[in-house]
């Protein structure tokens, strides 16, 4: 029997479905419901300074006051401990390279992973799931997308605009098929089960995935423009600024050794976190525990693939503490604890800007030694899935040096919550109208495309529930 909070989530979903049936024929101008304002038109570049070449803007002085309010003297001890642990962990990652990234077969998930496998996934914050989708099915998805893009060549948008590698396409039939593929949904259900709630009354159903529409990538050999540097999605300064989001890292802010008790898999504080205070295009506004993609190509290191920093909790502790410390000398490159001091005077939050994602580089976060600790994931084949925790630092290789395309469908693992159900309601209305999903750049999207998917392409009870079309 469902707990009262779970019943609440389901009731919200059912209510939203009834509203959608009434309003499924609305015009474009009113397609976004629930008072959600459409985001500005654009592309994936809107939120990344590493794609636009912008500098991080100077934050308002109120952020200096925020640091002072959050400060505890015990954070000095935390900083000392974290720096010591980082030095050791970076050395381990540098020695092991891509072997740090856990890989499991989908068949193993069906039988049940061993405890050490689940522990490894939770420690690194990343996993490759192999063999869930037949290779020929994934390749068919890619060809269908190419045909869809070709049929609408004059309307397709993406980045870079002169040679699109990341497409502003959300409503192709291939994406609908992939998002509802039973093996992908089952993988998501397993990954969500790695989370828990510290408060049993938390209104979340971790055993109930819902669909979160995202775009796709077909990156061609030689591309050097889609250069996503190290970053964390889901907000930037919001991690410190929003009280609810900040609660997710409360142990880190307690000082002393408390940072070691940080639990990145506790869903309770996550569901009310405001990750998008500045209504930024591409900024995720809901609880999305696992980001992910499903491969449509054979892609290995050096071929434009994903890079990750495979240490979840330790990196989070460092990133959350970083704004409170600075080098004693502005020209110093020393990583030694003794050469750093408390910084509460200015509004600096390294790598953070309002309305952007959280970015990292050797200057903003030197102790991570990103040139050694960021690793490219092992080779994936069509139909393989890759997932990473919402707090994990990740990037995309700066250049595609392979011979074939590097192609993925971005499909995360998202559970049912009250806020997520409200988002699903708006996402569904946008889907019916052919518009981009609410968190993504707005505009007319695919509303005038030939051959886009519609509700009749969503078949089966489970698939329609995932999309919020049926309860």
């Amino acid at each position: 029997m469902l707990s009262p909070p779970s019943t609440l989530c389901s009731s919200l979903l059912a209510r939203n479905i009834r509203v959608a049936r009434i309003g499924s024929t609305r015009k474009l101008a009113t397609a976004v419901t629930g008072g959600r304002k459409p985001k500005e038109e654009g592309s994936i570049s809107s939120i990344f300074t590493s794609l636009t070449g912008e500098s991080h803007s100077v934050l308002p002085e109120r952020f200096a006051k925020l640091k002072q309010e959050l400060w505890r003297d015990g954070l000095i001890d935390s900083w000392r401990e974290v720096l010591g642990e980082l030095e050791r962990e970076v050395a381990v990652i540098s020695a092991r390279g891509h072997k740090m990234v856990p890989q499991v077969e989908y068949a193993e998930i069906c039988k049940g992973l061993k405890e050490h496998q689940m522990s490894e996934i939770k420690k690194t914050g990343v996993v490759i799931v192999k063999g869930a989708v037949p290779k020929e099915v994934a390749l068919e998805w890619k060809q269908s997308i190419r045909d869809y893009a070709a049929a609408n060549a004059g309307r397709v948008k993406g980045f870079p605009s002169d040679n699109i590698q990341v497409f502003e396409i959300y409503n192709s039939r291939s994406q609908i098929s992939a998002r509802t593929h039973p093996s992908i949904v089952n993988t998501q259900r397993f990954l969500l089960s790695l989370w828990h709630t510290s408060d049993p009354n938390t209104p979340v159903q971790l055993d109930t995935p819902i669909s979160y529409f995202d775009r796709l990538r077909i990156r061609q050999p030689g591309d050097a423009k889609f250069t996503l540097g190290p970053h964390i999605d889901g907000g930037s300064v919001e991690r410190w600024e929003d009280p609810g989001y900040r609660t997710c890292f409360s142990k880190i802010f307690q000082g002393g050794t408390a940072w070691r008790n940080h639990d990145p898999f506790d869903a309770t504080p996550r569901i009310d976190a405001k990750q998008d205070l500045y209504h930024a295009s591409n900024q995720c506004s809901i609880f999305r525990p696992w980001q992910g993609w499903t491969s449509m190509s054979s892609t290995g290191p050096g071929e434009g693939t994903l890079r990750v920093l495979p240490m979840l909790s330790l990196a989070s502790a460092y990133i959350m503490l970083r704004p409170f410390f600075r080098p004693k000398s502005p020209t110093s490159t020393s990583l030694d604890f003794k050469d750093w001091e408390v910084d509460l005077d200015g509004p600096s939050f390294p790598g953070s800007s309002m309305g952007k994602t959280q970015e990292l580089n050797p200057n903003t976060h030197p102790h991570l030694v990103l040139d050694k600790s960021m690793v490219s994931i092992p080779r994936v084949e069509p139909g393989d899935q890759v997932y990473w925790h919402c707090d994990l630092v990740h990037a995309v290789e700066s250049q595609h040096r392979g011979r074939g395309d590097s192609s993925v469908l971005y499909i995360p693992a998202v559970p049912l919550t009250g806020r997520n159900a409200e988002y699903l309601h708006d996402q569904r209305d946008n889907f019916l109208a052919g518009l981009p999903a609410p968190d993504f750049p707005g505009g007319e999207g695919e509303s005038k495309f030939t051959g886009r998917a519609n509700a009749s392409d969503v078949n089966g009870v489970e698939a329609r529930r995932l999309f919020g079309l049926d309860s």
Side-chain angles (χ1 to χ4, degrees):
M1 180 178 294
L2 294 176
S3 65
S6 296
T7 303
L8 172 62
C9 293
S10 298
S11 298
L12 277 169
L13 182 59
R15 174 182 61 80
N16 288 338
I17 290 167
R18 290 193 296 272
V19 172
R21 287 172 177 157
I22 295 171
S24 61
T25 58
R26 292 171 182 167
K27 296 181 180 179
L28 294 181
T30 58
V32 178
T33 61
R36 192 184 301 272
K37 180 183 176 183
K39 295 189 174 182
E40 292 182 4
E41 291 189 52
S43 70
I44 194 171
S45 65
S46 306
I47 203 168
F48 293 100
T49 64
S50 61
L51 291 181
T52 63
E54 301 172 75
S55 298
H56 285 284
S57 57
V58 177
L59 295 173
E61 280 301 314
R62 61 185 172 86
F63 284 94
K65 183 178 180 181
L66 175 62
K67 288 203 290 188
Q68 294 163 13
E69 292 172 350
L70 295 178
W71 176 255
R72 293 187 179 192
D73 290 342
L75 294 181
I76 296 175
D77 291 331
S78 301
W79 179 249
R80 181 191 292 107
E81 288 190 8
V82 167
L83 295 193
E85 294 284 349
L86 275 176
E87 186 175 1
R88 291 184 285 273
E89 192 63 22
V90 167
V92 171
I93 294 172
S94 180
R96 294 193 63 200
H98 70 262
K99 293 179 181 178
M100 288 290 300
V101 179
Q103 301 185 65
V104 300
E105 294 290 335
Y106 175 67
E108 292 181 274
I109 288 178
C110 294
K111 291 189 296 184
L113 292 188
K114 294 179 172 59
E115 190 64 37
H116 75 87
Q117 290 175 301
M118 292 188 286
S119 295
E120 189 178 16
I121 293 169
K122 295 177 78 169
K123 181 180 179 181
T124 60
V126 61
V127 64
I128 297 174
V129 180
K130 304 187 74 67
V133 178
K135 179 178 180 179
E136 60 273 15
V137 171
L139 292 176
E140 287 172 4
W141 288 340
K142 180 168 61 176
Q143 185 56 52
S144 177
I145 289 166
R146 284 174 165 159
D147 295 342
Y148 179 59
N152 298 280
R155 297 185 183 276
V156 176
K157 297 180 180 180
F159 178 87
S161 59
D162 60 344
N163 183 21
I164 298 175
Q165 311 292 313
V166 182
F167 292 75
E168 292 299 313
I169 289 177
Y170 304 85
N171 302 310
S172 70
R173 289 192 171 97
S174 289
Q175 287 165 296
I176 301 309
S177 178
R179 291 170 187 146
T180 59
H181 192 284
S183 298
I184 291 178
V185 176
N186 196 39
T187 301
Q188 295 170 358
R189 189 172 283 111
F190 159 70
L191 289 169
L192 293 175
S193 76
L194 297 180
W195 288 69
H196 67 96
T197 56
S198 54
D199 180 351
N201 294 316
T202 304
V204 58
Q205 286 182 245
L206 292 170
D207 60 350
T208 307
I210 62 173
S211 189
Y212 180 83
F213 285 29
D214 204 332
R215 48 170 79 85
L216 63 96
R217 178 184 86 216
I218 302 180
R219 192 180 187 191
Q220 300 300 329
D223 175 66
K225 290 188 176 180
F226 183 52
T227 55
L228 281 187
H231 66 280
I232 314 170
D233 293 300
S236 179
V237 291
E238 286 91 341
R239 285 174 173 78
W240 297 269
E241 185 178 11
D242 175 61
Y245 205 170
R246 193 164 65 231
T247 301
C248 301
F249 308 98
S250 60
K251 296 293 184 181
I252 297 172
F253 290 123
Q254 286 181 13
T257 62
W259 68 272
R260 297 178 183 273
N261 297 321
H262 169 60
D263 183 359
F265 288 91
D266 181 6
T268 294
R270 301 270 177 173
I271 64 168
D272 291 322
K274 293 183 175 66
Q275 303 171 162
D276 183 22
L277 293 177
Y278 301 98
H279 197 64
S281 294
N282 304 291
Q283 195 76 278
C284 180
S285 63
I286 68 167
F287 175 37
R288 179 179 59 177
W290 294 96
Q291 294 176 250
W293 50 247
T294 298
S295 178
M296 299 186 293
S297 61
S298 178
T299 304
E303 298 175 356
T305 195
L306 178 72
R307 290 172 62 79
V308 295
L309 176 61
M311 56 166 155
L312 180 57
S313 292
L314 180 57
S316 292
Y318 173 73
I319 291 164
M320 298 308 295
L321 293 173
R322 174 67 182 89
F324 301 96
F325 299 90
R326 67 188 173 201
K328 289 181 179 178
S329 169
T331 60
S332 173
T333 59
S334 172
L335 302 181
D336 289 346
F337 168 79
K338 63 181 176 57
D339 294 322
W340 286 66
E341 63 185 4
V342 175
D343 177 14
L344 301 179
D345 303 328
S348 174
F349 280 71
S352 302
S353 291
M354 295 184 293
K356 299 289 184 182
T357 196
Q358 177 63 44
E359 297 184 271
L360 306 91
N361 61 53
N363 292 323
T364 60
H365 297 83
H367 298 86
L368 292 178
V369 198
L370 295 168
D371 60 330
K372 294 182 178 180
S373 61
M374 294 290 294
V375 300
S376 297
I377 65 169
R379 180 168 294 278
V380 293
E381 301 298 334
D384 291 346
Q385 303 169 80
V386 183
Y387 293 90
W388 58 98
H389 188 283
C390 54
D391 293 339
L392 194 73
V393 178
H394 59 287
V396 177
E397 290 179 332
S398 60
Q399 188 171 354
H400 181 354
R401 296 185 174 90
R403 294 184 177 181
D405 59 85
S406 174
S407 303
V408 306
L409 297 171
Y410 294 104
I411 306 175
V414 174
L416 181 63
T417 73
R419 179 178 291 178
N420 288 9
E422 292 172 357
Y423 180 90
L424 184 65
H425 165 261
D426 294 346
Q427 175 181 268
R428 182 208 37 241
D429 277 3
N430 284 21
F431 164 58
L432 295 175
L435 298 177
D439 276 341
F440 295 86
E444 68 176 28
E446 298 155 74
S447 61
K448 299 178 181 178
F449 278 30
T450 298
R452 69 175 169 84
N454 56 49
S456 65
D457 295 302
V458 185
N459 299 309
V461 174
E462 173 78 350
R464 295 182 68 80
R465 184 200 61 74
L466 284 164
F467 281 32
L469 293 169
D470 289 328
S471 58

